[in-house]
Amino acid sequence: MGKTKATTKRGRMGRAYALAHRFVRRYRRDEDGTIVVIALLTFLLMVIMGGVAIDIARMEFERTKVQQTVDRAVLAAANLNSTQDPKEVVESYFEASGLKGKLGGVTVQNSLNGKTVYAQGDSEIATMFMHMVGIESLAADSDGGAQERVTDVEISLVVDISGSMGWDNADGTESKLDTLKSAAEIFFDEVIAEQTDETGITAVSVIPYNDKVIAGEELLSYFNTTDWHEETSCLRFYDDDFLQRQLSRTLLVERLGYFHAYGNSYNQPAPANAWCPVKPAHEILPFQTDKQTLVNFVNALDDGGGTAIDNGVKWAAALLDPDARDIVNGMIANESVDGIIQNWPREYGEEDTMKVVVLMTDGENTTQYDLKQDVKTLDGWSAALSDVYYSDEWGASEARDGFLVRFPDNDDDEEWYRPRSWWTTGDDVHYHDDDIPDDLIRLTYQQLYLRFTTTDAANYLYRYSDPGGYWYWSSYYERYMWAGVIPPQFNKVAYPWDDHDIYEETDERLENICDAIKDEEIIIFSIAFEAPQAGEDVMKYCASSTGHYYNVNGTDLEAAFTSIASQINHLKLIQ
């Protein structure tokens, strides 16, 4: 009996142990508890991350509000027209925005022609979630500055006065030149204000151009020009001149030749009708600060001639270049310009100075002419001499009696020809070298063309040089014509000019000088005023950007000049 009980007891205990072992083994394999823990940790992390995002969003909202307030405040405080204390202006903006007490500081710097204001916003927010990880607050600081200053402005206004400017405008209401005059007056009204250091100073040089530019003797007196003649003041530019902005005041620069083509009934040609005419109303008006002087000058312009846009822009660049400073100071000493622009033009890149070219045309570049080099000069320095001489002694009673022409190839007795009256050959005389007066002066071609047009000079001095009669075969002219050729000296005197630049050449030169101008960040506004395609193309090329180019018809020219003036005035106040 006892044995049986013991066995039963041990069996029960074995079964209990087996059940416990199986339970432990099953519990060890059960992962349900782990998932719950991970889920709880993940949820907590998501709550914290979401809270961080909310705190950062609140901080950014606050920072943006402070930044916007700072920006508005400093712009208002820097306004040169404001009479309030800049610090008070900034404080009032913070208070109005509900940010009182969050202004960190205000710094104000004043100069003669400007004001700079700097402000700092100092704000922070208490965190709602990030404090759980030890971050109690977030800074929402912001700062900003604003500057407003008045900039002095140097402007070269380049205006087309070619013959086509005398045509009616597209509206048919007036000539294109009259439209330009109205537009220019509006422009001057807009860009020229009080002319003080506080409001800024604007000086305008007006460069009228047709197929040449007349500089004027006062302006040319500051350059080293050729002395072949001093009758007119147009310069001859060469290709290399358009690769640089400045115009050398030390190197020799060449005047255009003085001549008047074709016939004039043997009368002395008027200087106003020469290729480069003596015409004060068309001379460059440099460095002017007086509005009415500018208006009066433009209103006096008239039209005529071809188109040399490249020459106009070359002068525009030269008058903005710092190398012209001695010219301005010299003209101030001569009381030709206002002393308020002493030491202008300023250096390139000065922050208080803006340089602008305003260029307009109604056409396209045309051919440019000048005397041939062998008629202008012998060696680049001395004036070329003709075979025409003059005697004051023989011309004392009748000026025409003083002219003699030397024909070295004639017989000795006919080496010198005296044409005398131009309406007949009856009083023509030939002389031996021994019979001429002692006071003969050999004339340069330039001196000759001061007295005669090119055609009249050739006819009077060469064609009718015949002591035996008008058609006598031995005359200089007929001797050649019988052979079927034009006599060389007649041809040289009658047709002394050539075309030194035509169409594509002048377009390339214009593009080169525009590039040189833009290299120094000079602003170029350009206007194609009822211009042909070629004119539009070069205007587009020269403009600083598409926003600086205008293509207009009729009285829209006034709107273009108004827009340009507004842009200049906007750029004049830098914020």
Side-chain angles (χ1 to χ4, degrees):
M1 287 291 295
K3 185 178 181 179
T4 303
K5 289 181 181 178
T7 302
T8 303
K9 185 177 181 180
R10 285 196 299 268
R12 290 176 180 170
M13 289 180 64
R15 287 195 298 273
Y17 175 80
L19 288 171
H21 181 69
R22 285 196 298 271
F23 176 79
V24 170
R25 289 176 61 192
R26 187 168 63 250
Y27 180 80
R28 289 171 61 189
R29 291 194 302 268
D30 192 347
E31 297 179 353
D32 290 346
T34 302
I35 294 173
V36 171
V37 171
I38 293 174
L40 289 173
L41 291 175
T42 300
F43 175 73
L44 181 59
L45 182 60
M46 291 175 64
V47 170
I48 293 173
M49 290 178 65
V52 168
I54 291 172
D55 283 341
I56 291 176
R58 291 174 57 238
M59 181 273 292
E60 182 60 25
F61 178 80
E62 179 74 3
R63 191 202 64 79
T64 301
K65 182 179 180 182
V66 174
Q67 183 68 64
Q68 291 175 344
T69 303
V70 168
D71 290 345
R72 292 195 304 270
V74 294
L75 284 172
N79 190 330
L80 291 175
N81 294 321
S82 174
T83 58
Q84 288 184 267
D85 179 78
K87 185 175 180 180
E88 292 178 358
V89 172
V90 175
E91 290 174 346
S92 67
Y93 269 79
F94 269 73
E95 184 174 353
S97 299
L99 297 173
K100 186 177 182 180
K102 297 184 178 182
L103 176 61
V106 179
T107 303
V108 180
Q109 294 178 336
N110 289 299
S111 62
L112 182 63
N113 67 335
K115 185 196 303 182
T116 302
V117 180
Y118 178 85
Q120 182 176 8
D122 186 7
S123 181
E124 65 177 32
I125 62 167
T127 59
M128 297 174 61
F129 296 92
M130 294 175 69
H131 68 87
M132 292 187 292
V133 292
I135 300 175
E136 301 295 334
S137 64
L138 292 173
D141 298 343
S142 187
D143 56 31
Q147 180 188 69
E148 181 169 290
R149 71 176 184 270
V150 175
T151 303
D152 294 331
V153 185
E154 303 171 9
I155 301 174
S156 285
L157 175 61
V158 189
V159 294
D160 190 338
I161 56 169
S162 60
S164 58
M165 287 293 289
W167 303 350
D168 286 348
N169 66 20
D171 298 334
T173 55
E174 58 187 355
S175 72
K176 289 190 280 186
L177 185 58
D178 285 338
T179 304
L180 169 63
K181 292 176 180 179
S182 299
E185 183 168 359
I186 293 171
F187 178 75
F188 298 141
D189 282 338
E190 292 290 328
V191 299
I192 297 181
E194 299 176 36
Q195 301 290 46
T196 65
D197 288 334
E198 290 75 20
T199 60
I201 301 168
T202 299
V204 182
S205 296
V206 183
I207 301 104
Y209 71 92
N210 43 32
D211 38 21
K212 77 284 294 179
V213 174
I214 306 173
E217 282 304 318
E218 181 180 11
L219 182 56
L220 273 199
S221 68
Y222 293 95
F223 296 91
N224 182 22
T225 62
T226 53
D227 58 1
W228 307 330
H229 72 87
E230 295 182 354
E231 304 306 316
T232 56
S233 55
C234 304
L235 291 186
R236 166 75 179 270
F237 294 121
Y238 292 88
D239 291 348
D240 287 348
D241 294 320
F242 294 87
L243 300 176
Q244 54 191 0
R245 294 168 299 279
Q246 67 270 28
L247 181 58
S248 175
R249 297 182 51 242
T250 55
L251 297 177
L252 188 67
V253 288
E254 189 176 315
R255 292 178 186 252
L256 280 180
Y258 181 88
F259 68 99
H260 189 295
Y262 310 118
N264 192 44
S265 301
Y266 303 102
N267 296 311
Q268 184 167 350
N273 295 327
W275 171 247
C276 173
V278 178
K279 206 163 188 178
H282 285 186
E283 294 175 0
I284 293 173
L285 180 67
F287 315 117
Q288 286 300 311
T289 57
D290 180 69
K291 183 192 314 180
Q292 196 57 50
T293 299
L294 290 161
V295 171
N296 292 344
F297 175 80
V298 172
N299 284 341
L301 294 173
D302 56 17
D303 58 88
T307 307
I309 311 171
D310 56 332
N311 278 238
V313 178
K314 173 60 187 179
W315 273 110
L319 296 179
L320 293 175
D321 191 86
D323 277 2
R325 191 171 298 152
D326 287 344
I327 299 175
V328 172
N329 292 340
M331 296 183 82
I332 290 173
N334 293 337
E335 299 183 350
S336 300
V337 301
D338 196 324
I340 199 171
I341 59 170
Q342 184 82 33
N343 294 325
W344 286 36
R346 304 274 180 75
E347 293 295 329
Y348 295 119
E350 284 196 17
E351 67 174 12
D352 292 338
T353 302
M354 176 169 55
K355 297 175 184 281
V356 180
V357 172
V358 180
L359 168 65
M360 65 77 55
T361 188
D362 79 323
E364 59 186 318
N365 281 316
T366 58
T367 303
Q368 300 171 29
Y369 298 93
D370 191 15
L371 290 179
K372 297 173 182 176
Q373 284 300 104
D374 64 341
V375 176
K376 290 177 71 174
T377 180
L378 294 174
D379 51 15
W381 296 89
S382 305
L385 295 170
S386 71
D387 289 325
V388 181
Y389 294 72
Y390 193 80
S391 166
D392 286 329
E393 178 186 344
W394 282 14
S397 58
E398 288 287 349
R400 63 177 179 270
D401 289 344
F403 289 98
L404 288 94
V405 186
R406 184 169 181 263
F407 290 93
D409 296 334
N410 282 7
D411 293 339
D412 289 347
D413 290 340
E414 296 182 355
E415 183 176 351
W416 292 90
Y417 166 61
R418 186 182 182 191
R420 306 192 74 175
S421 302
W422 41 75
W423 58 85
T424 179
T425 59
D427 58 357
D428 292 359
V429 184
H430 280 72
Y431 294 92
H432 188 280
D433 192 59
D434 295 334
D435 300 325
I436 60 174
D438 294 333
D439 69 338
L440 279 184
I441 296 175
R442 190 175 184 181
L443 302 181
T444 67
Y445 284 97
Q446 299 285 253
Q447 292 171 322
L448 178 61
Y449 294 137
L450 286 173
R451 177 59 187 83
F452 297 102
T453 67
T454 59
T455 300
D456 285 351
N459 284 333
Y460 177 53
L461 300 168
Y462 288 94
R463 181 166 187 169
Y464 307 138
S465 57
D466 176 10
Y470 182 91
W471 291 110
Y472 185 63
W473 68 269
S474 64
S475 76
Y476 171 80
Y477 184 83
E478 294 302 325
R479 189 183 309 161
Y480 280 91
M481 292 307 293
W482 275 107
V485 295
I486 297 176
Q489 193 59 27
F490 175 91
N491 204 39
K492 184 175 183 178
V493 172
Y495 308 106
W497 65 86
D498 63 6
D499 50 351
H500 62 84
D501 288 294
I502 56 174
Y503 309 121
E504 294 86 358
E505 296 171 359
T506 51
D507 285 350
E508 182 178 354
R509 298 193 332 177
L510 174 59
E511 291 176 358
N512 287 340
I513 188 61
C514 286
D515 288 341
I517 290 172
K518 289 185 282 190
D519 283 346
E520 285 294 347
E521 298 185 358
I522 299 173
I523 301 169
I524 303 180
F525 294 95
S526 65
I527 306 172
F529 177 39
E530 302 178 15
Q533 187 61 51
E536 292 181 12
D537 291 343
V538 293
M539 290 297 101
K540 288 177 186 175
Y541 185 92
C542 281
S544 291
S545 72
T546 54
H548 294 82
Y549 166 69
Y550 296 80
N551 188 351
V552 297
N553 296 316
T555 53
D556 286 344
L557 182 65
E558 296 178 4
F561 270 99
T562 300
S563 174
I564 292 170
S566 297
Q567 289 193 60
I568 292 173
N569 287 336
H570 177 73
L571 293 169
K572 187 176 178 180
L573 288 178
I574 301 175
Q575 291 188 336

